Amino acid sequence: MGETDGSGQGPEGTESPTTKGRPKLSVLPLVALIFYDVSGGPFGIEDSVRTGGGPLLALLGFLLFPLIWSIPEALITAELATCFPENGGYEGLWKWCSGAIDNALYPVLFLDYLKHSVPALEHPSYRVPALLAVTIALTYLNYRGLHIVGFSAVALAAFSLLPFVAMTILAIPKLQPRRWLVVDLRKVQWKGYFNNMFWNLNYWDKASTLAGEVEDPSRTFPRAIYGAVALVVASYLVPLMAGTGALDRSKTEEWSDGYFAQVGLLIGGVWLKLWIQAAAGMSNMGLFEAEMTSDAFQLLGMSEIGMLPAIFANRSKYGTPTISILCSATGVLLLSWLSFQQIIEFLNFLYALGMLLEFAAFVRLRIKKPDLHRPYRIPLGTFGVTVFCLPPSLLIVLVMSLASARTFIVSGIVILFGFLLYPGIEYAKERRWAVFYSTPMSSGGYSDTIPVISQQDEHVVDEASKSLLKDAAQGSSDGVFKSA
């Protein structure tokens, strides 16, 4: 299969022909992948109207939550990803588990849309083989190469959003802005409302797992982040304003997952309903591809710095991490039996916990390494970025506090396993039970390939980066960096 190690080096340290000249992600494919990491279109936001007691809180939520949550997370991702343009991103078991749980949603949702046209998919004898077939087919597309996934995401994004452009144009003559102001606080379901908002606006940091696959990351990443933020917010607000502004306000309680298809029927007719249903199915495919790509490259990045056995960094002849992709696909199949609401609550809790550690690591890095080379830097000082992280951190704590007892128990087991995994990996290294890469995280030294950046066609060795990696190797970092 032409496997190579994740460093792109052959047995004697020479460049592997399978990695030489491998296509890199440019701005447009990266925007599409970030869009699908976070959104994929307005599918799934309908419940915000029902749980918010009307359109007002839903619209305010998608206006304010990006300011409080999405933009801070996106900008932090841009700074850290350009600072360390390597695969893996926010390494850690908790974040990977959250991503794998999230990815289990999309084959299920894909079949849920198909069952309206193929009722046989209601029966397990047909549904289980179909679930396996969809997962295997989409996994194979990931295996074939990241550039294929990137451009596929561009096409899927265009197809997913076009019916809502048509719906918005048709809704204009029927719009009554006063309908946007409707809210009944007695009907607000705060737990469902916050979970829906959080789920629809998170995972901006997923793109950081692909930093090593991005063309000129110091320029490409910030541009792609800004473009994706604008695209996601517009893809939520515009259809929501069109639907709630054009339809009778008495139908607020009918807004739930999948209701945009009915909105399309009422505004445009059967043809628009079918188009939205088809777009929903294709969107779920795009979401699956983007999520699996990020999850697989996260495991690859963890392997390359010695946090997982070297086998997870093996690449196929297409440059994709084969074992990591298979591992992510297995997680999807094992988790797909959970209900939609269970999946969202579990993944939100684990993701929120991981983000608290990510914010803490970001602030700590600003304090400990102020001179670290940052091709993109949030234009705030240390105190400023600390205040910058407070609002999203408070939102995270709020979302976690609304979780059920079962979510606390299941998440607690995963958290405990994460704490035990680190000493377990170190013990496996000592006993030589598996092959690990000799990296700054395990050897006390540093690799010339990690702190070297490309700037104006010259390789510049960043001494602060070296120092940071040496500190981590010597154990000066606290549990935030080890157990996450």
Side-chain angles (χ1 to χ4, degrees), residues 3-20 449:
E3 303 281 356
T4 72
D5 67 23
S7 64
Q9 303 294 320
E12 303 299 327
T14 58
E15 186 174 21
S16 167
T18 61
T19 59
K20 186 177 181 179
T449 62

Side-chain angles (χ1 to χ4, degrees), residues 69 194-202 348 351-352 396 399:
W69 171 250
F194 280 107
N195 268 305
N196 187 275
M197 287 289 166
F198 190 71
W199 179 62
N200 278 296
L201 291 166
N202 63 15
N348 274 353
Y351 184 81
I396 287 173
V399 171

Side-chain angles (χ1 to χ4, degrees), residues 31 87 93 148 152 175 203 209 236 312 347 383-384 403 416 434 460:
V31 168
N87 293 325
L93 175 71
I148 293 178
S152 297
L175 289 179
Y203 285 111
T209 62
Y236 286 163
F312 286 95
L347 72 89
F383 178 76
L416 179 61
V460 181

Side-chain angles (χ1 to χ4, degrees), residues 71-337:
I71 291 177
E73 185 187 8
L75 294 182
I76 289 171
T77 297
E79 178 170 322
L80 293 179
T82 56
C83 186
F84 297 100
E86 303 292 327
N87 293 325
Y90 51 98
E91 290 87 0
L93 175 71
W94 301 346
K95 281 300 194 71
W96 181 83
C97 286
S98 173
I101 294 172
D102 181 59
N103 213 19
L105 281 171
Y106 305 122
V108 174
L109 290 176
F110 179 67
L111 295 182
D112 284 343
Y113 278 101
L114 284 183
K115 72 183 180 183
H116 294 289
S117 301
V118 187
L121 291 176
E122 292 273 13
H123 303 286
S125 57
Y126 293 97
R127 186 177 182 84
V128 173
L131 183 66
L132 287 171
V134 169
T135 303
I136 291 172
L138 296 178
T139 299
Y140 177 73
L141 183 59
N142 253 275
Y143 165 75
R144 283 301 304 270
L146 186 58
H147 65 291
I148 293 178
V149 173
F151 282 106
S152 297
V154 173
L156 287 172
F159 182 81
S160 300
L161 294 177
L162 279 176
F164 293 99
V165 174
M167 185 186 78
T168 300
I169 294 173
L170 293 173
I172 290 175
K174 304 177 182 180
L175 289 179
Q176 296 185 26
R178 59 183 175 83
R179 292 173 175 168
W180 297 332
L181 305 179
V182 174
V183 61
D184 187 346
L185 295 178
R186 295 170 299 178
K187 295 182 179 180
V188 176
Q189 302 170 32
W190 293 111
K191 178 180 177 180
Y193 174 77
F194 280 107
N195 268 305
N196 187 275
M197 287 289 166
F198 190 71
W199 179 62
N200 278 296
L201 291 166
N202 63 15
Y203 285 111
W204 293 96
D205 55 347
K206 274 290 183 182
S208 67
T209 62
L210 308 174
E213 308 300 309
V214 174
E215 178 182 311
D216 191 8
S218 64
R219 292 173 57 86
T220 301
F221 236 99
R223 293 179 180 181
I225 286 288
Y226 284 122
V229 169
L231 183 60
V232 168
V233 173
S235 72
Y236 286 163
L237 278 178
V238 174
L240 202 56
M241 293 177 72
T244 57
L247 300 182
D248 189 348
R249 64 183 181 180
S250 64
K251 298 184 181 296
T252 295
E253 66 280 357
E254 297 180 9
W255 283 78
S256 59
D257 293 335
Y259 189 65
F260 266 125
Q262 185 65 20
V263 174
L265 175 65
L266 296 174
I267 291 178
V270 175
W271 65 273
L272 187 54
K273 175 184 178 180
L274 294 177
W275 192 5
I276 290 176
Q277 286 179 330
M282 298 300 289
S283 176
N284 285 315
M285 291 176 59
L287 287 162
F288 182 96
E289 294 295 343
E291 183 68 58
M292 176 167 282
T293 297
S294 296
D295 292 345
F297 274 91
Q298 184 180 352
L299 294 181
L300 178 146
M302 293 170 70
S303 176
E304 288 179 338
I305 64 172
M307 293 179 69
L308 288 175
I311 191 173
F312 286 95
N314 286 350
R315 289 181 184 258
S316 70
K317 61 183 179 181
Y318 302 108
T320 49
T322 311
I323 302 300
S324 296
I325 287 175
L326 291 176
C327 186
S328 296
T330 302
V332 169
L333 291 174
L334 292 176
L335 293 164
S336 59
W337 58 271

